[in-house]
Amino acid sequence: MEQITTLTFLRYKGFKNKLWAFGMMQFAHRYLVKQNGLTFYKLLGSGRRNFNPAPDWSVYALLQVWDSEEAAENFFEAASLMKRYQKHSTEQWIIYLKNTSSKGAWNGANPFHKSTKTDNNNSYIAVITRASIRPKLLWRFWRYVPISQRSLAGNKGLIYTKGIGEAPIVQMATFSVWKDQESLMQFAYKSKEHQTAIKKTKKLDWYREELFSRFQPYRSVGIWEGTNPLPPLDF
C-alpha cells in the first residue's frame, strides 16, 4: 500500500452553516478517530486573504493522511461525516497528494512518507508549511507575515494559496499550489521578502516546532470559487 495525503477545502454560507462548521472543529473528531485507513488528520480553520491572522469563518479545511488511496475513496464516497460536510457547504475541493519531501515535525512526529510512485510528466507542486509560534514572539511574527508574502501577488506560477491552522494565531500553516518547480523556486529563493523572512526565523527563533513538506498533486475533485483550480487533474 502507498500512503497518500488529501486536503479538503470547504466553503460555507449563512450564519447557521458557519456556526455548524465551527462546531465540527470539535465534534468531527469522534468520526475521524474511527475512520479505517486514516493514519493522521487535522481539522483546520483558515485566515483571510494575504495571510491576515483574522479568521475566515466561511472556509475550513480537513487534512488527512491515508495508508492507501482506496481508504480515502471509501471516506469521500461513503462516510457519513463527508455527507454532512457536503450538505452544509456550498463548495468542496479535494486535492489528492503524493509526498515528495518532508522535514520537521507536526505534534512531535512527521506524518508524511515519501512516495515512490510520482509522475515525471506532472509538473504541479504543492507545499504545506506548518509552525507552532512561540507566544512571546507572536506580535513580531504576525506584523512581518504580510511583508514576507508580498511577492506572491506577482508570481504567475502560483495557482492557489491559503493560510490554514489548528488554533488561531499560535498554530498556523500555509498551503500553496504551483504550476512547476521554477515558479516555486522563484518565490523561495529570488524573493527578497521571503529571504528576509528566512533570516529572521533563524535569528529570532520564532517557532517551537516547524514542518516543511512538498507534494505532487495528482488528482483534483470538486470546485473552488466556481471552478476546479487544477482542471487537468479533474478525473
Side-chain angles (χ1 to χ4, degrees):
M1 292 187 293
E2 177 85 355
Q3 183 198 77
I4 69 160
T5 299
T6 59
L7 182 60
T8 305
F9 284 98
L10 300 149
R11 188 185 307 280
Y12 300 87
K13 291 184 178 180
F15 176 76
K16 289 184 178 180
N17 287 323
K18 291 178 182 179
L19 183 62
W20 180 88
F22 179 76
M24 292 305 288
M25 289 288 285
Q26 176 62 37
F27 298 131
H29 289 290
R30 63 181 179 179
Y31 299 94
L32 293 168
V33 295
K34 298 183 290 186
Q35 185 64 41
N36 291 334
L38 185 61
T39 61
F40 178 87
Y41 74 88
K42 288 294 177 183
L43 294 157
L44 304 165
S46 75
R48 297 180 185 177
R49 291 185 183 275
N50 301 317
F51 297 94
N52 185 323
D56 180 351
W57 301 110
S58 66
V59 175
Y60 290 81
L62 174 59
L63 174 68
Q64 295 166 287
V65 180
W66 305 91
D67 60 18
S68 69
E69 184 171 350
E70 182 181 5
E73 289 288 351
N74 288 338
F75 173 79
F76 291 117
E77 291 178 4
S80 61
L81 176 61
M82 194 61 205
K83 294 184 184 300
R84 295 183 71 189
Y85 277 132
Q86 292 169 342
K87 178 182 178 180
H88 287 273
S89 59
T90 57
E91 288 188 327
Q92 308 95 32
W93 178 34
I94 307 166
I95 314 100
Y96 287 73
L97 306 159
K98 294 180 180 179
N99 184 259
T100 56
S101 66
S102 186
K103 61 180 181 180
W106 197 324
N107 295 146
N110 192 327
F112 305 117
H113 302 160
K114 186 175 181 179
S115 175
T116 60
K117 299 180 180 179
T118 54
D119 181 0
N120 292 331
N121 296 317
N122 179 349
S123 65
Y124 292 121
I125 297 177
V127 178
I128 293 176
T129 62
R130 186 265 181 183
S132 180
I133 308 162
R134 298 185 188 280
K136 66 179 181 180
L137 295 172
L138 283 172
W139 183 81
R140 296 183 69 177
F141 175 83
W142 283 110
R143 186 181 65 170
Y144 188 74
V145 165
I147 298 173
S148 69
Q149 304 298 311
R150 189 177 293 162
S151 60
L152 283 173
N155 193 313
K156 296 181 180 180
L158 177 64
I159 296 172
Y160 180 75
T161 187
K162 184 69 169 175
I164 50 182
E166 305 144 83
I169 309 297
V170 178
Q171 293 178 322
M172 55 81 67
T174 62
F175 174 73
S176 57
V177 182
W178 307 80
K179 71 175 185 179
D180 52 32
Q181 176 87 1
E182 182 180 354
S183 301
L184 174 60
M185 292 299 100
Q186 181 181 345
F187 169 70
Y189 297 108
K190 295 183 180 180
S191 163
K192 292 182 180 179
E193 294 89 351
H194 190 254
Q195 284 297 304
T196 301
I198 293 174
K199 292 177 181 178
K200 282 182 174 289
T201 298
K202 293 179 179 178
K203 180 180 178 181
L204 299 175
D205 193 22
W206 270 329
Y207 308 137
R208 292 186 296 181
E209 184 182 60
E210 60 181 316
L211 178 140
F212 179 84
S213 294
R214 292 183 185 179
F215 302 83
Q216 181 178 82
Y218 70 95
R219 189 177 174 193
S220 176
V221 179
I223 59 171
W224 199 248
E225 296 181 347
T227 186
N228 190 315
L230 296 169
L233 305 183
D234 183 9
F235 57 88

